[in-house]
Amino acid sequence: MARSRRTARTSAGVAGLSMALIAACGGGDGATGGSGEFDVLIHVENTDVPAVLETLAGGACAAESEAAPVTVETVPQTNLDQQLQLLAGQDGLPVLYAAGNAPALTQTLAESGHVLDFEQALSELDAIEHIQPAAVSTIEALYGGFNALPLEYNIEGIWYNTALFDEHGVSVPATWDDLVAAAKTFAEAGVVPFSASGDQGWPITRLIGNYIFRSIGPDALQRVADGEAELTDPEYVEAAQAVADLGEAGYFGRGVGSIDMDTSTNEFLNGNAAMYYMGSWALSDFADEERNAIGAENIAFMPFPDVAGGAGHSGQLAANVGLPLTMNDRKYDDDASAWLSCIAENYGSTALEERSRISGFAVNTPVDDVPPLAQQVQEQIEATDETVLWFEALFSTEATITSQTNAAPLVTGSISAEEFMRLVQDDLD
Amino acid sequence: MTTVELHTTHGRVGGGRQQRRGARRWRQRFKRWPAHLLVTLLLVVVCYPMVWLLLGSFKTQREFLENSVVALPEQWNFDNYVEAWTTGNFSQYFLNSVTAVGPALLVMLLLGTAAGFALEVLVWKGRNAVLLIFLVGIMVPIQMILLPLFTVYFQTGLTGTLWPLIITYTATGLPLTVFLMATFYRAVPREVFEASTIDGAGIVRSFFSIGLPMMRNALFTVGLVQFFFFWNDLLIALTFTNSGSLRTIQVGLLNFSGQYGTTQYGPLFAAISLNIFGMLVIYLVLNQKVQKGLTAGSVKG
Amino acid sequence: MEHVLGDKRSVAILVGPALLVYTLVMLVPIIWSLGYTAFEGNAVTGFSFVGMDNLTQLAGDRKVREALGFTLRYAAVITVGQVLLGYGLALLYVFVLRRYSSVVRTLVFFPIVLPTVAVALLFQQMFAIAPRDGLVNSFLNVFGIESVDWFGSGGTSFLVIAIMDIWRSMGFYGVLLYAGLVDIPEEVLESARVDGTRGWKLVRHIVLPLSLPVLVSAIIFSINGTLKVFDSILALTGGGPGTATTPLTIHMFQTSFAYGQYGYGSSIAFLLTLLCLIVTVFIFRASRRDLTKG
């Protein structure tokens, strides 16, 4: 998923060769069965993956770790795409690496032979059944192929404060109009209806994307990507206008453009805001008793509501695989395939148990005392057969950045909905 | 005319007449209060943010996001510092920064001063052309040379060491050093060097015996400038450090940003405070030395 | 006299090493990168030759035009601010504080030492409006002025950037220029004072001309720094809101490494280099003329 382009607050890179034949001469280390090391490159912000890999190395994957110990290198997320490009240019990518902030970059890397075809690799290892179908469909929709590992799997929607809903007599909105009416009720009562980070931008453009999926249909943005439709078409502009109207009415609270991620989370967790659009990765914040003043029992999840007369419906859940990791086809040898097999089998349960992180892998070892919210999310995922992506998922990096940086000006009224869509469309052309 | 006193660098008050001195002191005090006010204001503007940083290093994430910006921390413990030290691995980063910046600084100063001397004092064809070539280096954005340099460092197997940083810093600092040193030499009368070379000393020797020592002051200034450039550089360090064990302090500071755009403010501030107040101590020690050097062997004349 | 200070071997020994290092590490990569301006693509996909396409595209690119405009505005404001305040500080050190200036010098110099990331964070907090008013808005409210969403519009964001960067660097320029002022011979000042030249007139007619070489290097230094601003804006506003505060450097970096258009990114860098070159040569020329007159 596309995230901040800011520096650290501060707070600021790649084919399907048939690998069975290639495996033996994978990393160019001659004809040995393995390179004897399993090197990983990941963005420093992701602490889950290194921790889970370490646990696996000491437990379920001890044999693999013996043959090829894990070495993790980290790079700040803002610098990830640059490093991936530089390394790929020198053929220096490690075995397992973060796929890049931009899906477009991952595709470029795949085209130049730096990405493993997991469909084929996992089938050969008889491990394909460890991947949840919903996760595979999300990855395929995003990358045009099974090119990344769903080490995390998130659904997105609106988290709401049940106590505030009860207090102000608001029922869970079923349609967009209900949602706007609910926001009006809250605003009049002095509660901020939506907490959102305009500084990041994407929490706001997510709303535009969801509106489009509900009003035009789940293939609406694929059509834009294929050039069959333009964002400047009236039905698309309508979505940006709907979100701009929320901003104009002041439903995002004051100074939305300056609100960073942490602040928006806290506004919701302190009970200052009634609703918060976010992915299920926020569960770890909700579970943090230090931060969560309203209590996890007072938080519930609703999918993005229907738009009256629209072609999509709320059963089509927005989902993403976070910033996924992928494997380097050119270094895929016996050691790497042994690791892949072990990860597919054990990652799901270990991540859930250790980090309460929901992944796209099957949970093969039952995990006790999963928090109720996490259980709710898991049930949602299991009940979902069709997923949609997000607004910028199929955009070029340039259009993604344009969209996210102009989200705040859109909701503060500095630019109109038409201008917003025009700016993004210009970068897509 | 009494105010002449105010403008002499060694304002020794004329001996004797006590009464007049008292009166004069009064008048001086009266005349000087705007200056005092100005300096006080200046110091508040400069120091308050740093004090705020220090206070911030004791706050929890919650306090950062909820309490007033100007509030004092609710507790005075060193949790954030411990967190910063453990997450931050700062002793290693500090060592890396020193290892990368130190040699680069020394080599750059020596080469840059020699070139500046040759470009300004010596007479030869092509001087201006060479100076202009160096000037180009001041102007080119560093972003431009990253890709070629990365390719070269990678192919020569230098990635994975601190050499790319040392080499890049040395080279990128040269143009400015050459330019500034040339400017400083411009102020020196040529006769000084002409006399020494006529004495029989070779030009290179006279550079080392006269040209280099006379620039102590300027060297310190330029060295200081470049030191902070290198020390605070993020772009080069980010591009050429591909492993955790090679991070410089600035890259290390990026460790405090979480996933999905969150920031661990407390530990970040603690890390910055460590960084800053460590620097302050170093700077104060150096500054004392420099002040001594300035007063003892004045370069003038 | 030429034969005395014109020994070719000595010149080679003194200039050679610096020129060699500089050529290998900077000049060659610069030319290498310039070569990319005739190509499109990136390190991953490989490059393909497009000739002059990048440069013609550059001429009609709205984003580049906006970034160029911002860069020029920023450079003008910040350079003037830095050098003027720095010069003011230097005068303060030399003529008012004199021997007692070292503590003040040290403290005012210090912000340049702070990591950019930290300073940006600090200013974000000071100018915050959400979730609560920061220092500046609280201060305004005391005087009955409405809170301002500083980072909500391009104009106010620019103001914060300017305040931050000048705050960071004025002490640094103060020290740089102080070095030039200290070297003014005391006798010159003394004789001027005997002639009754004081205060502003002394500065205008005596101090300014004598400190001109250092002042010119400070201006050249400053303008080249400000035209190439990168870290501080990236850390403070990320170029936002929208692209209102995106300078050429950030736009170039994104184009090369985020959008994967290295050739086009090099073309933007080329434009920036050209800009620096013109400005510098202009200042350099002007100062050389002054010096020969002086």
Side-chain angles (χ1 to χ4, degrees):
Chain A
M1 58 182 298
R3 292 185 202 133
S4 158
R5 66 195 187 95
R6 285 228 180 156
T7 47
R9 273 213 294 159
T10 58
S11 206
V14 188
L17 296 159
S18 62
M19 16 74 29
L21 297 170
I22 301 297
C25 37
D29 310 312
T32 52
S35 59
E37 61 173 15
F38 189 65
D39 47 347
V40 181
L41 176 73
I42 189 158
H43 48 297
V44 70
E45 289 81 356
N46 187 331
T47 51
D48 288 337
V49 172
V52 176
L53 284 178
E54 198 181 333
T55 307
L56 291 176
C61 308
E64 289 78 2
S65 172
E66 189 69 30
V70 177
T71 51
V72 179
E73 296 294 358
T74 56
V75 49
Q77 191 179 334
T78 41
N79 210 44
L80 176 65
D81 289 13
Q82 184 209 9
Q83 279 294 323
L84 291 179
Q85 288 184 41
L86 289 169
L87 287 167
Q90 309 299 329
D91 211 359
L93 284 168
V95 184
L96 179 70
Y97 60 93
N101 293 303
L105 175 60
T106 314
Q107 285 184 322
T108 309
L109 291 170
E111 283 157 20
S112 54
H114 293 278
V115 174
L116 183 65
D117 180 344
F118 288 103
E119 177 90 36
Q120 193 175 2
L122 288 165
S123 302
E124 280 171 12
L125 294 167
D126 283 332
I128 196 96
E129 76 274 8
H130 298 309
I131 318 283
Q132 296 188 346
V136 177
S137 82
T138 302
I139 291 172
E140 283 174 340
L142 187 56
Y143 296 112
F146 190 0
N147 278 341
L149 285 170
L151 297 176
E152 62 177 276
Y153 190 61
N154 306 299
I155 54 168
E156 296 178 9
I158 298 168
W159 305 87
Y160 61 99
N161 182 330
T162 51
L164 281 173
F165 269 59
D166 294 345
E167 188 187 330
H168 297 282
V170 177
S171 54
V172 178
T175 67
W176 175 262
D177 296 335
D178 296 347
L179 187 73
V180 176
K184 190 163 186 283
T185 309
F186 285 121
E188 281 164 359
V191 176
V192 175
F194 298 98
S195 176
S197 165
D199 158 69
Q200 297 280 315
W202 58 262
I204 290 170
T205 60
R206 285 292 204 270
L207 302 175
I208 301 173
N210 271 297
Y211 189 101
I212 288 172
F213 291 130
R214 297 285 183 262
S215 68
I216 311 172
D219 62 342
L221 288 167
Q222 185 62 52
R223 294 225 311 274
V224 172
D226 296 342
E228 293 162 19
E230 296 217 332
L231 291 172
T232 47
D233 297 346
E235 65 268 33
Y236 289 89
V237 174
E238 181 197 313
Q241 189 59 56
V243 175
D245 291 345
L246 294 182
E248 196 186 357
Y251 294 162
F252 292 110
R254 206 176 61 147
V256 61
S258 311
I259 296 182
D260 63 15
M261 203 56 230
D262 254 340
T263 306
S264 70
T265 310
N266 281 20
E267 284 291 274
F268 178 64
L269 291 180
N270 292 336
N272 301 336
M275 293 177 273
Y276 176 54
Y277 182 96
M278 199 40 60
S280 50
W281 58 82
L283 286 177
S284 55
D285 293 331
F286 298 168
D288 180 351
E289 282 163 24
E290 176 81 358
R291 282 183 79 179
N292 188 345
I294 58 177
E297 68 280 3
N298 285 324
I299 299 176
F301 174 85
M302 61 167 146
F304 193 88
D306 291 341
V307 171
H313 61 82
S314 58
Q316 296 153 336
L317 210 53
N320 71 63
V321 285
L323 201 169
L325 273 79
T326 187
M327 288 176 89
N328 185 353
D329 197 34
R330 300 183 187 195
K331 290 203 177 156
Y332 186 72
D333 53 21
D334 292 358
D335 286 339
S337 74
W339 260 110
L340 176 60
S341 165
C342 186
I343 286 172
E345 193 176 338
N346 302 295
Y347 196 93
S349 39
T350 311
L352 186 62
E353 184 162 22
E354 250 198 40
R355 317 282 293 189
S356 304
R357 181 66 77 197
I358 295 163
S359 72
F361 294 103
V363 178
N364 294 326
T365 320
V367 177
D368 308 328
D369 29 287
V370 178
L373 264 180
Q375 263 177 328
Q376 199 190 338
V377 169
Q378 269 186 295
E379 284 156 19
Q380 280 273 14
I381 292 174
E382 277 157 23
T384 302
D385 53 356
E386 192 177 9
T387 59
V388 289
L389 296 167
W390 60 95
F391 186 54
E392 297 95 350
L394 306 173
F395 292 177
S396 65
T397 315
E398 195 168 0
T400 300
I401 290 175
T402 299
S403 160
Q404 291 173 1
T405 50
N406 284 293
L410 174 72
V411 293
T412 55
S414 313
I415 58 170
S416 70
E418 288 86 0
E419 276 175 282
F420 174 84
M421 287 304 209
R422 159 65 37 214
L423 285 169
V424 181
Q425 185 65 44
D426 280 350
D427 283 341
L428 289 174
D429 297 338
Chain B
M1 286 302 117
T2 49
T3 46
V4 170
E5 289 285 350
L6 284 181
H7 300 292
T8 50
T9 314
H10 306 289
R12 277 191 305 273
V13 179
R17 292 162 290 209
Q18 291 289 346
Q19 282 177 329
R20 273 199 51 198
R21 222 161 74 180
R24 186 189 301 156
R25 198 177 287 157
W26 265 110
R27 216 175 327 156
Q28 282 188 9
R29 281 216 183 124
F30 181 71
K31 278 193 75 127
R32 295 198 62 166
W33 76 263
H36 284 300
L37 190 71
L38 186 69
V39 171
T40 312
L41 188 71
L42 185 72
L43 291 182
V44 168
V45 166
V46 169
C47 296
Y48 176 73
M50 293 190 245
V51 172
W52 183 81
L53 259 176
L54 186 64
L55 291 176
S57 68
F58 293 99
K59 293 182 182 178
T60 60
Q61 188 78 353
R62 225 189 150 69
E63 285 174 74
F64 261 103
L65 296 160
E66 286 161 31
N67 296 3
S68 154
V69 204
V70 292
L72 289 174
E74 289 166 6
Q75 66 286 308
W76 297 92
N77 59 38
F78 285 86
D79 291 1
N80 286 332
Y81 285 89
V82 174
E83 169 75 13
W85 198 257
T86 48
T87 320
N89 194 5
F90 265 85
S91 44
Q92 173 76 52
Y93 299 162
F94 183 81
L95 196 66
N96 289 339
S97 276
V98 172
T99 314
V101 171
L105 198 63
L106 292 176
V107 173
M108 179 206 71
L109 282 175
L110 181 65
L111 298 186
T113 312
F117 174 87
L119 286 166
E120 193 57 46
V121 176
L122 306 186
V123 186
W124 44 289
K125 267 210 187 88
R127 272 167 58 197
N128 282 335
V130 173
L131 192 60
L132 264 182
I133 288 173
F134 273 115
L135 265 180
V136 168
I138 299 184
M139 292 162 225
V140 173
I142 301 298
Q143 289 90 333
M144 193 162 179
I145 60 171
L146 291 179
L147 183 65
L149 283 180
F150 188 91
T151 308
V152 172
Y153 291 143
F154 195 94
Q155 299 298 353
T156 51
L158 286 175
T159 39
T161 64
L162 284 170
W163 281 107
L165 291 189
I166 297 171
I167 297 168
T168 314
Y169 287 153
T170 306
T172 51
L174 268 177
L176 185 72
T177 310
V178 170
F179 175 74
L180 285 177
M181 291 322 288
T183 312
F184 287 123
Y185 276 116
R186 197 172 303 155
V188 181
R190 268 228 178 128
E191 292 76 20
V192 178
F193 304 106
E194 279 169 356
S196 81
T197 48
I198 287 169
D199 284 348
I203 295 175
V204 178
R205 250 184 63 198
S206 85
F207 164 70
F208 279 104
S209 60
I210 300 172
L212 198 60
M214 79 181 332
M215 281 295 148
R216 224 180 343 191
N217 230 348
L219 271 173
F220 177 78
T221 308
V222 176
L224 204 61
V225 171
Q226 298 282 20
F227 171 74
F228 291 119
F229 272 4
F230 297 167
W231 191 263
N232 286 332
D233 155 79
L234 197 59
L235 187 64
I236 295 171
L238 263 181
T239 306
F240 299 124
T241 52
N242 61 346
S243 79
S245 59
L246 295 176
R247 282 200 190 115
T248 60
I249 287 202
Q250 305 310 326
V251 180
L253 285 177
L254 298 186
N255 278 339
F256 297 99
S257 56
Q259 224 173 336
Y260 313 110
T262 56
T263 308
Q264 294 296 319
Y265 290 113
L268 176 69
F269 274 40
I272 292 166
S273 295
L274 283 175
N275 193 350
I276 288 171
F277 294 100
M279 289 294 260
L280 187 59
V281 171
I282 295 169
Y283 183 66
L284 286 173
V285 170
L286 273 180
N287 205 36
Q288 284 305 316
K289 271 212 162 86
V290 174
Q291 295 308 322
K292 280 204 188 87
L294 276 179
T295 44
S298 182
V299 221
K300 280 183 253 171
Chain C
M1 274 298 120
E2 297 231 344
H3 60 280
V4 178
L5 292 175
D7 175 33
K8 281 201 176 57
R9 219 183 90 240
S10 307
V11 170
I13 291 170
L14 290 171
V15 178
L19 199 57
L20 184 73
V21 172
Y22 168 70
T23 304
L24 286 179
V25 186
M26 282 193 82
L27 224 46
V28 172
I30 288 168
I31 293 161
W32 184 338
S33 251
L34 274 182
Y36 284 131
T37 57
F39 291 84
E40 71 173 17
N42 58 46
V44 184
T45 56
F47 292 91
S48 55
F49 185 78
V50 294
M52 296 296 286
D53 286 7
N54 283 329
L55 295 176
T56 48
Q57 194 188 334
L58 205 59
D61 189 330
R62 180 184 53 82
K63 280 186 175 175
V64 170
R65 235 190 347 264
E66 282 171 8
L68 177 65
F70 177 79
T71 296
L72 290 172
R73 272 204 320 265
Y74 173 91
V77 171
I78 307 292
T79 298
V80 169
Q82 280 175 348
V83 178
L84 263 186
L85 284 175
Y87 201 69
L89 284 172
L91 291 173
L92 181 81
Y93 300 155
V94 176
F95 294 111
V96 180
L97 298 174
R98 308 208 312 273
R99 279 174 308 158
Y100 309 104
S101 73
S102 90
V103 174
V104 179
R105 266 210 322 269
T106 306
L107 284 169
V108 180
F109 179 88
F110 211 62
I112 197 81
V113 184
L114 307 186
T116 323
V117 168
V119 176
L121 192 60
L122 172 74
F123 275 75
Q124 269 167 6
Q125 297 264 353
M126 289 203 312
F127 286 85
I129 182 168
R132 61 198 38 71
D133 284 318
L135 209 54
V136 177
N137 279 335
S138 312
F139 187 71
L140 290 178
N141 292 347
V142 171
F143 294 97
I145 304 169
E146 282 268 301
S147 292
V148 179
D149 184 359
W150 293 95
F151 297 108
S153 78
T156 46
S157 294
F158 182 71
L159 190 67
V160 180
I161 292 172
I163 293 171
M164 176 175 95
D165 279 343
I166 291 172
W167 176 83
R168 279 182 67 212
S169 55
M170 66 181 185
F172 166 79
Y173 283 94
V175 170
L176 196 70
L177 293 161
Y178 171 81
L181 291 184
V182 165
D183 288 346
I184 295 175
E186 195 61 37
E187 308 80 67
V188 178
L189 294 174
E190 208 48 60
S191 64
R193 286 195 197 105
V194 170
D195 297 345
T197 319
R198 284 234 158 45
W200 174 239
K201 268 177 85 177
L202 182 78
V203 172
R204 169 80 188 75
H205 294 291
I206 312 291
V207 180
L208 200 58
L210 284 170
S211 58
L212 200 66
V214 180
L215 194 61
V216 169
S217 356
I219 290 171
I220 290 182
F221 179 58
S222 167
I223 199 110
N224 277 295
T226 52
L227 286 172
K228 292 191 300 191
V229 64
F230 184 77
D231 287 4
S232 65
I233 293 183
L234 195 68
L236 186 69
T237 68
T243 50
T245 58
T246 303
L248 279 174
T249 44
I250 292 181
H251 186 55
M252 177 236 148
F253 193 76
Q254 278 176 353
T255 304
S256 293
F257 290 115
Y259 314 158
Q261 303 167 340
Y262 204 87
Y264 196 51
S266 293
S267 310
I268 299 173
F270 175 64
L271 175 74
L272 183 61
T273 308
L274 217 58
L275 186 72
C276 291
L277 194 72
I278 293 165
V279 171
T280 306
V281 169
F282 181 78
I283 298 169
F284 201 57
R285 274 270 159 84
S287 71
R288 279 261 154 147
R289 260 207 312 281
D290 271 346
L291 283 173
T292 48
K293 271 196 297 200

